[in-house]
């Protein structure tokens, strides 16, 4: 077992002696806007993004700089991917041309517009990069199919992929709630999740987005506010989705499901705390570990989603980790919190 995994195991073994509030400690974000995007590079460097063209950055793990993206007034940056302390790509979500990609290579001092959604009825939901060159962009259905675009040059150029496996149901869409309704693993595997329609579903690709298969999820749907919101995979086979109803964040209904076959079949797997979860993420260096969060609070599983412990009740939008000791959460009204692994 790696040192980080050992440290994380020690943390969890003492978690019962720590009050829920101690699992997260507040940091100053310098903003009061809704924050939904989060990308953690390492234990010192992380970026976040949100409404009103807002981007945040830390280079010491403690102090955050809040900045506005010039020329992007009013845009809602729902997702961000950071490559290092200087280079990041942000994605805005909105109808048609309000969905855009920008990049910075100087720590946010200046931003370059990379791409605008050319589909008038489109709406981008998430981006994910598997390395510095290869990435994927996911959006709501256009002409009956979910939008999938890929890049092999770090986001400078994008190619759209259309495939019968991406055909959407009536009223089906994705949720740009945390930038995690799209997940990638390695250079080939990708998954996207949906809701709003009569059935929540997960789409899987094993050829870098060229072709897709689809499977039903046991999570409740059949309403515009319900379905699967986030997906994460520990490896090519073991993954988990979370969701619920964002209009009823404390609703006691099924809010999680897990797979052991790459997404072909899914088992109901309730997450704690019960209620709406907008994000599920893995923890680098901690075997079989997920952290989930949403408006219902946050929880942790160290057995691939089979059992859960509550971390806290503070409403959050998304979480991400550098390693077993360091992670952050962002959420409503400029919420910014750092994971606190020191028990009392």
């Amino acid at each position: 077992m790696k040192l980080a995994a050992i440290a994380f195991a020690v943390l969890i073994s003492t978690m019962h002696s720590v009050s829920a509030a101690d699992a997260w400690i507040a940091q100053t974000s310098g903003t009061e806007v809704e924050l939904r995007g989060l990308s953690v590079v390492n234990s010192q460097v992380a970026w976040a993004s949100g409404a009103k063209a807002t981007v945040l950055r830390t280079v010491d793990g403690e102090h955050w700089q809040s900045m506005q993206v010039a020329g992007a007034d009013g845009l809602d940056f729902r997702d961000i991917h950071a490559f290092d302390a200087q280079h990041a790509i942000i994605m805005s979500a909105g109808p048609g041309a309000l969905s855009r990609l920008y990049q910075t290579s100087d720590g946010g001092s200046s931003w370059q517009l990379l791409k605008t959604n050319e589909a008038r009825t489109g709406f981008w939901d998430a981006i994910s990069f598997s390395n510095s060159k290869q990435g994927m962009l996911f959006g709501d259905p256009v002409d009956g199919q979910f939008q999938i675009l890929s890049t092999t040059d770090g986001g400078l150029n994008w190619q759209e992929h259309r495939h019968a496996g991406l055909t959407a149901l009536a009223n089906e869409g994705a949720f740009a709630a945390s930038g995690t309704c799209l997940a990638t693993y390695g250079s080939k595997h990708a998954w996207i999740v949906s809701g709003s329609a009569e059935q929540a579903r997960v789409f899987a690709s094993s050829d870098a987005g060229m072709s897709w298969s689809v499977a039903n999820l046991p999570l409740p749907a059949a309403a515009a506010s319900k379905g699967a919101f986030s997906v994460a995979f520990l490896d090519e086979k073991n993954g988990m989705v979370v969701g619920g109803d964002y209009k009823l964040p404390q609703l006691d209904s099924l809010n999680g499901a897990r797979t052991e076959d790459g997404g072909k079949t899914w088992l109901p797997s309730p997450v704690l705390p019960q209620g709406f979860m907008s994000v599920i993420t893995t923890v680098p260096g901690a075997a079989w570990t997920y952290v989930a969060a949403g408006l219902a609070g946050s929880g942790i599983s160290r057995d691939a989603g089979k059992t859960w412990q509550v971390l806290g009740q503070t409403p959050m939008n998304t979480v991400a980790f550098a390693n077993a000791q360091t992670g952050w959460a962002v959420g409503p009204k400029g919420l910014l919190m750092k994971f606190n692994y020191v028990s009392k």
Side-chain angles (χ1 to χ4, degrees), residues 230-246:
S230 179
V231 57
F233 269 73
L234 296 162
D235 51 38
E236 295 178 1
K237 297 296 185 182
N238 293 279
M240 187 150 188
V241 301
V242 297
D245 187 335
Y246 72 81

Side-chain angles (χ1 to χ4, degrees), residues 99-340:
S99 287
R100 303 178 196 172
L101 296 178
Y102 291 81
Q103 78 163 355
T104 181
S105 57
D106 56 13
S109 295
S110 63
W111 294 86
Q112 172 193 1
L113 177 63
L114 291 177
K115 187 171 181 59
T116 298
N117 196 337
E118 298 174 359
R120 183 178 57 83
T121 58
F123 190 106
W124 288 344
D125 297 294
I127 55 173
S128 180
F129 279 80
S130 54
N131 53 54
S132 62
K133 296 296 184 182
Q134 187 170 345
M136 190 171 291
L137 173 61
F138 169 45
D140 279 352
V142 173
D143 296 329
Q145 285 191 12
F146 281 102
Q147 275 194 307
I148 292 290
L149 297 89
S150 65
T151 181
T152 56
D153 59 9
L156 297 178
N157 296 281
W158 294 83
Q159 178 185 2
E160 186 163 4
H161 303 284
R162 291 187 65 82
H163 185 264
L166 293 168
T167 301
L169 301 173
N171 302 316
E172 190 174 18
F175 297 101
S178 63
T180 59
C181 53
L182 160 68
T184 54
Y185 184 84
S187 61
K188 298 293 186 181
H189 293 273
W191 298 266
I192 56 178
V193 292
S194 71
S196 298
E198 61 183 4
Q199 178 71 56
R201 301 198 295 171
V202 59
F203 301 74
S205 175
S206 58
D207 56 10
M210 297 298 293
S211 63
W212 295 81
S213 60
V214 62
N216 291 336
L217 290 167
L219 274 65
S225 58
K226 298 169 65 174
F229 281 69
S230 179
V231 57
F233 269 73
L234 296 162
D235 51 38
E236 295 178 1
K237 297 296 185 182
N238 293 279
M240 187 150 188
V241 301
V242 297
D245 187 335
Y246 72 81
K247 289 187 176 181
L248 299 170
Q250 305 301 325
L251 182 66
D252 183 11
S253 63
L254 182 64
N255 62 355
R258 58 186 179 86
T259 181
E260 298 176 354
D261 59 12
K264 295 181 180 66
T265 59
W266 293 83
L267 301 170
S269 186
V271 174
L272 292 178
Q274 68 184 34
F276 170 62
M277 295 284 114
S278 57
V279 61
I280 177 85
T281 190
T282 58
V283 180
W288 304 109
T289 300
Y290 292 115
V291 172
L295 297 182
S298 56
I300 188 168
S301 170
R302 63 182 188 276
D303 57 7
K306 296 176 184 177
T307 62
W308 289 81
Q309 290 176 295
V310 176
L311 288 177
Q313 303 290 340
T314 300
M316 300 171 173
N317 287 331
T318 196
V319 295
F321 286 77
N323 51 47
Q325 293 84 25
T326 308
W328 283 272
V330 297
K333 298 179 180 180
L335 175 82
L336 174 63
M337 305 189 84
K338 188 174 184 179
F339 186 63
N340 178 25

Side-chain angles (χ1 to χ4, degrees), residues 26-41:
Q27 291 188 322
T28 301
S29 68
T31 184
E32 294 185 354
V33 304
E34 190 95 7
L35 299 174
R36 293 188 181 274
L38 180 63
S39 183
V40 176
V41 177

